[in-house]
Amino acid sequence: MPVRITSDDWTSERVKAFWDHCYRQNNRALTFSERVGRGVARYLRVNGLLQGEVLDYGCGPGALAAQLIRAGCQCWGCDWSEASVEAANRLLSGRRGWHGASLAGDSRSAYFNRKFDLVTCLETVEHIPEHEEEDFFANLRDAVKVGGSIFLTTPNEEDLTLDHKNVYCPFCDSVYHQRQHVRSFDKNTLATTIERHGFVVRWVTALDFNSYQVPAWPGIGDVNLRYLARVAARMPFSPITAVHRRSRGKLPHLCAVATRVPAL
């Protein structure tokens, strides 16, 4: 039987090598923020979070940051992969509101020691082994102002054992998650994890960010029953919301909003 790679096997050097390789592929798969970054930005705006100075922690190639500066935010980025930092800076160089991407933890970077109104962290916490959890949330806590917010997303109750989610390497006879996920969360475990580290959770919810990709004011030719149903499903108290969710089954994404509290 092949060896299943565990979170302890993913050292920082291996993680960096994995993502540098991914981001340097010309035909790579789209990242989460490239697929639904516009929807994430709309969700942030609808909930009154899209304002002030923002750090995209784990910015990847800059797709979410592009949406944030388009919405008028002042935005910084950081990531663990040199290739992704380079890609983000290529994409956004010279754009108003963009202050550059840097390697995470680099004390020489523009974001380091700065306090932000909002720190976004998309599809990252599922990559963090339990033994690195404290450092990960300490970095988020150090980056956000007291009273400021963090915004995290992660897959909703992902089954990490499914064969189609894993890759077999015949050279080392091992199996690992195709996107290097090492943890899975539901609403409760995500909330309790965040609250262990100096934050008050405002809400954790399951949703599909694809529904927020729908423009609020489409062209007249784009209005149809499917469009109207998707817009109605975004409204928290709409009766269509429950019907839409039942028809879709388990919603694919979890998102959490939490506020930093003063240290005791």
Side-chain angles (χ1 to χ4, degrees):
M1 290 290 291
V3 175
R4 184 169 292 275
I5 298 300
T6 68
S7 60
D8 289 337
D9 297 313
W10 284 107
T11 63
S12 57
E13 292 79 13
R14 286 172 174 163
V15 170
K16 181 182 181 302
F18 179 89
W19 288 105
D20 279 345
H21 172 74
C22 288
Y23 285 123
R24 287 191 172 119
Q25 294 182 68
N26 293 326
N27 60 342
R28 65 174 175 80
L30 294 178
T31 65
F32 179 79
S33 58
E34 287 172 324
R35 289 186 285 111
V36 296
R38 183 175 60 184
V40 171
R42 280 203 173 102
Y43 182 86
L44 291 168
R45 186 175 65 245
V46 165
N47 287 282
L49 296 166
L50 201 56
Q51 56 189 341
E53 296 186 345
V54 183
L55 172 66
D56 189 15
Y57 193 85
C59 64
L64 177 62
Q67 299 295 331
L68 298 177
I69 61 176
R70 187 172 297 157
C73 293
Q74 300 296 310
C75 188
W76 289 251
C78 68
D79 204 285
W80 297 266
S81 161
E82 290 179 5
S84 66
V85 166
E86 292 166 2
N89 285 323
R90 278 197 307 271
L91 175 69
L92 301 173
S93 177
R95 296 200 194 181
R96 181 178 298 177
W98 176 241
H99 296 274
S102 311
L103 285 175
D106 184 353
S107 61
R108 300 165 298 175
S109 66
Y111 88 91
F112 202 80
N113 285 333
R114 197 177 190 95
K115 302 297 183 184
F116 294 91
D117 301 289
L118 173 67
V119 176
T120 59
C121 189
L122 304 190
E123 307 297 284
T124 301
V125 68
E126 66 272 13
H127 298 269
I128 306 301
E130 290 190 29
H131 65 270
E132 295 181 5
E133 180 185 298
E134 175 59 43
D135 287 342
F136 172 74
F137 280 100
N139 290 334
L140 294 180
R141 194 169 60 246
D142 289 344
V144 69
K145 296 176 181 177
V146 174
S149 297
I150 61 169
F151 175 80
L152 275 67
T153 74
T154 190
N156 183 15
E157 299 181 53
E158 182 182 20
D159 186 347
L160 300 177
T161 67
L162 294 177
D163 287 342
H164 73 274
K165 299 233 177 179
N166 289 282
V167 174
Y168 171 71
C169 175
F171 300 99
C172 61
D173 192 29
S174 59
V175 174
Y176 60 92
H177 189 281
Q178 61 183 343
R179 303 300 286 174
Q180 195 259 311
H181 295 179
V182 297
R183 300 174 73 179
S184 176
F185 294 90
D186 59 25
K187 288 182 184 180
N188 291 331
T189 57
L190 183 58
T192 55
T193 298
I194 295 169
E195 288 184 332
R196 280 200 296 268
H197 300 287
F199 295 94
V200 173
V201 172
R202 293 168 60 187
W203 70 82
V204 177
T205 189
L207 74 169
D208 184 350
F209 282 111
N210 285 294
S211 67
Y212 285 84
Q213 294 279 101
V214 178
W217 302 104
I220 192 65
D222 296 324
V223 176
N224 53 38
L225 289 176
R226 178 178 295 177
Y227 168 81
L228 293 174
R230 289 175 69 187
V231 170
R234 296 199 320 230
M235 301 176 184
F237 302 107
S238 166
I240 296 177
T241 301
V243 175
H244 185 263
R245 288 186 175 183
R246 283 196 296 270
S247 68
R248 293 291 306 276
K250 185 181 73 175
L251 294 171
H253 314 132
L254 286 178
C255 79
V257 174
T259 302
R260 180 190 165 186
V261 297
L264 298 177

